């Protein structure tokens, strides 16, 4: 597996990568549908070094994963534009992580319950005042939206991360401009 080409942007700080994956809210699941790419935006959780997501148990995404479970999950956040008097040196502040692995459905009720509880903590912290009952998860996995809901995991084979940190004094703000010489 190739590493990051632009080494100056490579992030190898595992604590920073984990923190980013815990707080970012949307990721993009890249799949191979025959000869065509297929990318799906998803809510997800990163816990215990694994990536988890859930959704309807039928449909194109799950059929594609059954045919070819190799995936690339990308999470990226853009923090703004870094200005420079030289236009070609203007840049973007960002962090991105790419997780390569195989997607697999979770059949274990305890693991599925843990994952869905983690999703609740991430996306609606403090909203529910009691733990998610296993019976609810079992029912949810079998009948929501007119069909089963599937919880999936990706155990990473390879992870790459890149960043261009925020440079507070150089960040673009509306109305900023560079003076012109006459």
């Amino acid at each position: 597996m190739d590493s990051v080409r632009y080494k100056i942007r490579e992030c190898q700080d595992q604590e920073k990568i984990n923190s980013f994956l815990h707080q970012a809210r949307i990721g993009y699941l890249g799949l191979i549908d025959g000869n065509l790419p297929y990318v799906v935006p998803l809510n997800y959780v990163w816990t215990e070094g694994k990536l988890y997501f859930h959704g309807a148990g039928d449909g194109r995404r799950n059929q594609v994963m059954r045919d070819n479970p190799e995936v690339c999950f990308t999470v990226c956040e853009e923090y703004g534009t870094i200005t420079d008097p030289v236009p070609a040196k203007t840049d973007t502040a960002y962090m991105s992580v790419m997780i390569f692995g195989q997607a697999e459905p979770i059949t274990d009720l305890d693991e599925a319950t843990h994952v869905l509880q983690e999703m609740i903590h991430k996306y609606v912290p403090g909203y529910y005042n009691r733990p998610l009952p296993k019976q609810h998860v079992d029912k949810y996995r079998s009948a929501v939206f007119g069909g089963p809901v599937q919880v999936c995991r990706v155990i990473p084979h390879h992870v790459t991360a890149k960043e261009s940190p925020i440079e507070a004094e150089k960040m673009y703000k509306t109305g900023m401009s560079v003076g012109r010489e006459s």
Side-chain angles (χ1 to χ4, degrees), residues 14-135:
Q14 197 58 52
E15 192 172 309
K16 183 183 271 190
I17 293 167
N18 285 332
S19 176
F20 175 75
L21 289 171
H22 281 289
Q23 64 83 26
R25 297 180 59 83
I26 302 291
Y28 299 88
L29 179 67
L31 306 165
I32 303 166
D33 187 3
N35 293 327
L36 298 173
Y38 182 60
V39 178
V40 182
L42 297 170
N43 291 336
Y44 73 94
V45 290
W46 175 256
T47 182
E48 300 171 11
K50 299 177 195 95
L51 178 90
Y52 295 90
F53 57 90
H54 79 297
D58 55 3
R60 184 175 178 189
R61 181 194 70 207
N62 290 335
Q63 181 58 53
V64 172
M65 287 189 312
R66 276 191 292 276
D67 293 345
N68 185 349
E70 291 294 327
V71 301
C72 174
F73 194 86
T74 301
V75 180
C76 183
E77 288 196 2
E78 184 260 340
Y79 305 125
T81 302
I82 303 168
T83 62
D84 192 284
V86 179
K89 290 188 177 182
T90 299
D91 205 348
T92 301
Y94 69 91
M95 176 88 181
S96 68
V97 176
M98 296 176 75
I99 299 165
F100 300 87
Q102 288 191 339
E104 55 191 20
I106 295 172
T107 56
D108 180 72
L109 182 58
D110 289 331
E111 186 175 7
T113 301
H114 170 72
V115 168
L116 292 173
Q117 185 70 62
E118 290 294 316
M119 292 196 95
I120 287 169
H121 288 319
K122 180 177 182 176
Y123 291 98
V124 289
Y127 184 72
Y128 296 101
N129 58 7
R130 61 184 182 274
L132 194 57
K134 286 184 196 177
Q135 299 86 345

